[in-house]
Amino acid sequence: MTAAAPECNGSYNEQLEAAKQFIEQYDDFLVVSHVQPDGDAISSTLAIGWLLHRLGKRYTLANEGDIPAKFNQLWGFEDIQTLSQLPENRHFSHVISVDCADFSRIGQVSQRFAESFELLNIDHHATNDRYGSCAVIQAQAAATVEIIYDLAKLFPFEADLDFGTCIYTGLLTDTGGFRYSSTTPKVMKTAADLLELGVKGSLLAEAYLERMTFEQIRILQRGLSTLNFHKQGKISSISVNTEDVAEIGASNEDMDGLVNYARNVEGVEVGLLFKQRDSSTVKVSFRSAGNVDVARIAQTFGGGGHVRAAGCTIKGTLEEAIRLVVEEVGNKLS
């Protein structure tokens, strides 16, 4: 009979110890991150893969859709499979989810979970509801990779350059190049340790924060042409419709960071990006200057995230989504 999953309650250190037991106790894992993965989601997936590889465990890395190609130099990148690549008759009893604020963020990959599955939930979103059999949630962490770095220290082997590069990439991208308020002394000490390990921080910053594709430039041009201000300039919004995306040939990856152009305008408290997925679905990204908890606003629409960065999906037209969200943000501002 399979042993029960360890209890993941108590202090952060106790949660980490329970996660260690979960990993040691089971085998043949499915490792998943959220749909439309960002740098932290990809880096966390690969860091867990590295850890399982070092432990001699069997594992499969997966995500619902396409993986951003710019991360293809990270260890294990080529091992991440999309849902369509997973065998339809293959179901996993032991799952590790990383950087997923709620179960729905895993997406349709959950179709590959066995009927009675055990799940280890590792995440840094304050809105995480601790789904799964065992959860390690540290809202004070700047990125999920920070938690995985702490977890790896419990095992009897040293980090190498491959692992360190994954961790640094997650920290770099989720802190906006170590500029966001989540950049704590612990984050900087971790980054320093990784640089001493040999991680090429400047090259990673160039690859993931500075370099832009032609499609990114084109979608930025279109997006800025829609820049609008609401509530006496305290709310700023940018929108991208499906026609622009199709004409330019842009991907979701090409819209990374676009919301910051709305937030960074002087006097703006909340910046919004509306990305139309189809005629009745709009993805909304929120960024706060600090005085508004956008995670709470996103939750009212079924989303979540952090105090200063959050997201949700709205069913409706692009115009309806803009009206609903701007109205709700305006209510919170007043």
Side-chain angles (χ1 to χ4, degrees):
M1 186 174 69
T2 304
E7 291 290 332
C8 276
N9 297 314
S11 68
Y12 177 53
N13 287 335
E14 290 170 334
Q15 292 177 45
L16 288 173
E17 185 59 42
K20 175 176 180 285
Q21 293 175 26
F22 184 100
I23 291 172
E24 291 177 331
Q25 180 174 308
Y26 299 126
D27 195 11
D28 194 19
F29 294 95
L30 178 65
V31 184
V32 298
S33 62
H34 60 74
V35 295
Q36 299 170 358
D38 57 9
D40 188 28
I42 296 297
S43 299
S44 296
T45 300
L46 298 177
I48 288 291
W50 179 92
L51 184 59
L52 296 173
H53 176 74
R54 289 296 300 266
L55 291 168
K57 302 283 187 176
R58 292 175 295 160
Y59 63 91
T60 300
L61 310 178
N63 194 276
E64 178 183 287
D66 294 334
I67 313 303
K70 67 181 179 181
F71 297 108
N72 62 7
Q73 295 185 27
L74 295 179
W75 178 93
F77 176 88
E78 66 282 355
D79 295 330
I80 303 179
Q81 301 181 52
T82 61
L83 175 61
S84 61
Q85 293 173 315
L86 293 174
E88 290 187 11
N89 61 349
R90 180 79 158 94
H91 293 85
F92 296 83
S93 297
H94 305 116
V95 181
I96 302 175
S97 72
V98 293
D99 204 38
C100 295
D102 56 70
F103 187 83
S104 67
R105 290 286 283 154
I106 295 170
Q108 296 183 43
V109 174
S110 61
Q111 296 172 1
R112 296 295 185 268
F113 297 179
E115 185 173 342
S116 298
F117 64 90
E118 302 282 358
L119 185 147
L120 169 59
N121 167 12
I122 305 175
D123 186 39
H124 74 128
H125 294 92
T127 55
N128 193 294
D129 60 5
R130 305 189 67 86
Y131 62 89
S133 318
C134 181
V136 185
I137 312 301
Q138 177 70 333
Q140 289 73 38
T144 298
V145 288
E146 184 179 338
I147 303 171
I148 296 171
Y149 188 67
D150 291 339
L151 175 62
K153 291 177 182 178
L154 301 181
F155 292 93
F157 44 75
E158 296 294 325
D160 64 11
L161 184 56
D162 289 330
F163 179 75
T165 300
C166 289
I167 299 299
Y168 192 96
T169 297
L171 291 176
L172 177 76
T173 54
D174 243 31
T175 61
F178 306 107
R179 292 181 293 118
Y180 299 162
S181 61
S182 57
T183 306
T184 62
K186 182 186 176 187
V187 168
M188 299 307 290
K189 288 174 184 176
T190 299
D193 290 343
L194 297 173
L195 291 172
E196 287 187 353
L197 191 63
V199 171
K200 305 299 183 183
S202 61
L203 296 181
L204 295 176
E206 169 66 23
Y208 303 136
L209 301 180
E210 302 296 334
R211 191 177 303 135
M212 298 181 71
T213 65
F214 180 74
E215 290 76 16
Q216 279 180 289
I217 292 293
R218 292 290 307 281
I219 208 71
L220 175 60
Q221 288 177 314
R222 295 290 179 90
L224 289 179
S225 71
T226 71
L227 183 64
N228 206 349
F229 297 91
H230 320 266
K231 307 298 180 181
Q232 293 78 50
K234 293 183 178 180
I235 303 171
S236 178
S237 66
I238 292 173
S239 61
V240 178
N241 61 39
T242 53
E243 289 81 8
D244 286 338
V245 172
E247 180 185 336
I248 294 169
S251 66
N252 186 67
E253 181 182 350
D254 293 320
M255 288 178 270
D256 282 353
L258 187 54
V259 66
N260 294 324
Y261 287 89
R263 184 204 61 183
N264 290 345
V265 178
E266 186 175 3
V268 169
E269 290 291 338
V270 176
L272 302 167
L273 172 62
F274 297 88
K275 295 181 285 187
Q276 187 181 40
R277 297 299 182 205
D278 54 48
S279 60
S280 61
T281 309
V282 180
K283 174 73 169 64
V284 187
S285 296
F286 301 76
R287 294 295 183 271
S288 170
N291 293 325
V292 180
D293 183 349
V294 290
R296 288 186 179 274
I297 300 174
Q299 278 186 302
T300 66
F301 296 105
H306 304 287
V307 171
R308 292 195 175 195
C312 69
T313 299
I314 299 222
K315 290 296 183 181
T317 66
L318 183 58
E319 293 74 17
E320 288 170 340
I322 293 172
R323 178 180 57 79
L324 286 170
V325 174
V326 168
E327 182 178 348
E328 185 64 26
V329 175
N331 289 338
K332 292 296 186 292
L333 282 170
S334 59

